[in-house]
């Protein structure tokens, strides 16, 4: 599948926004009176954060590759 730089930049922006929201969610759950009650939600959010960080890294690599070809 081929993507152009502008598409990749926009998708990275969307993922960065979602990452920010997930990080805030983790902070909120961890700040609750009994954070152990939210352990599964915290774990899920942290796993999603890691997955999105990998996605951002791959998108950035692809953007750099496309920029070098130009």
């Amino acid at each position: 599948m081929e993507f152009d730089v502008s598409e990749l930049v926009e998708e990275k922006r969307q993922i960065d926004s979602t990452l920010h929201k997930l990080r805030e969610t983790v902070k909120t759950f961890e700040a609750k009176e009994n954070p152990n009650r939210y352990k599964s939600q915290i774990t899920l959010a942290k796993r999603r954060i890691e997955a999105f960080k990998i996605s951002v890294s791959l998108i950035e690599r692809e953007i750099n590759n496309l920029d070098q070809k130009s």
Side-chain angles (χ1 to χ4, degrees), residues 18-30:
T18 302
L19 269 169
H20 173 75
K21 291 174 188 173
L22 283 168
R23 288 180 178 124
E24 292 301 312
T25 298
V26 170
K27 286 181 192 175
T28 300
F29 281 133
E30 289 179 336

Side-chain angles (χ1 to χ4, degrees), residues 3-15:
F3 302 99
D4 65 29
V5 173
S6 63
E7 289 175 312
L8 293 170
V9 168
E10 176 58 24
E11 298 314 315
K12 181 185 174 302
R13 189 181 74 75
Q14 293 297 323
I15 292 172

Side-chain angles (χ1 to χ4, degrees), residues 6 9 12 16 27 30-31 42 44-45 48 56 58 66 69-70:
S6 63
V9 168
K12 181 185 174 302
D16 286 338
K27 286 181 192 175
E30 289 179 336
I42 293 169
L44 178 61
R48 287 179 175 166
V56 166
L58 294 172
L66 289 173
K69 290 180 183 178
S70 301

